[in-house]
Amino acid sequence: MFEVGMKYTSKLTVTKAVTAIEIGSGDMPVLATPMMMALMENAAMLAVKDALPEGFTTVGGHIESSHLRPSKIGDIVRAEAVVVKVEGKKIEFKISAFSGEHLLGEGTHLRFIVEREKFMSKL
């Protein structure tokens, strides 16, 4: 059962591999915005994973976030996702990312509950 308030925190140490210059989203050695957003999406996925029936998962449908400040190599970034609304197969999250106590970004994320086999059969 999915409930408002379910949450999870994912963590990432900023390495060269997740910098903007390495993944091609920018030209500086700082945490890439797409990597910050992927960490937020990971937290949302894991927030509801244990409540899913056998054979089901969630997939991302929409994500929107600010990216307010840079993070350097060696920083530990944590992303938090909290369920704010459940409507049928739609789950809405408030997402945020931090480095220490500094807010890096925040926004919203939408995930859909899908049956794995049925979803993959559409490929």
Side-chain angles (χ1 to χ4, degrees), residues 26 31 43:
L31 178 65

Side-chain angles (χ1 to χ4, degrees), residues 11-76:
K11 294 181 182 177
L12 168 79
T13 300
V14 179
T15 64
K16 183 179 176 188
V18 297
T19 61
I21 197 165
E22 287 294 313
I23 70 160
S25 66
D27 60 3
M28 293 193 289
V30 295
L31 178 65
T33 300
M35 298 308 297
M36 179 192 74
M37 293 178 77
L39 188 65
M40 293 169 157
E41 188 169 11
N42 177 260
M45 176 195 68
L46 293 173
V48 297
K49 180 182 177 195
D50 291 342
L52 290 164
E54 184 72 30
F56 285 78
T57 189
T58 60
V59 294
H62 182 79
I63 190 167
E64 183 175 319
S65 176
S66 58
H67 194 169
L68 305 170
R69 63 185 304 146
S71 302
K72 67 185 182 311
I73 292 174
D75 284 354
I76 297 173

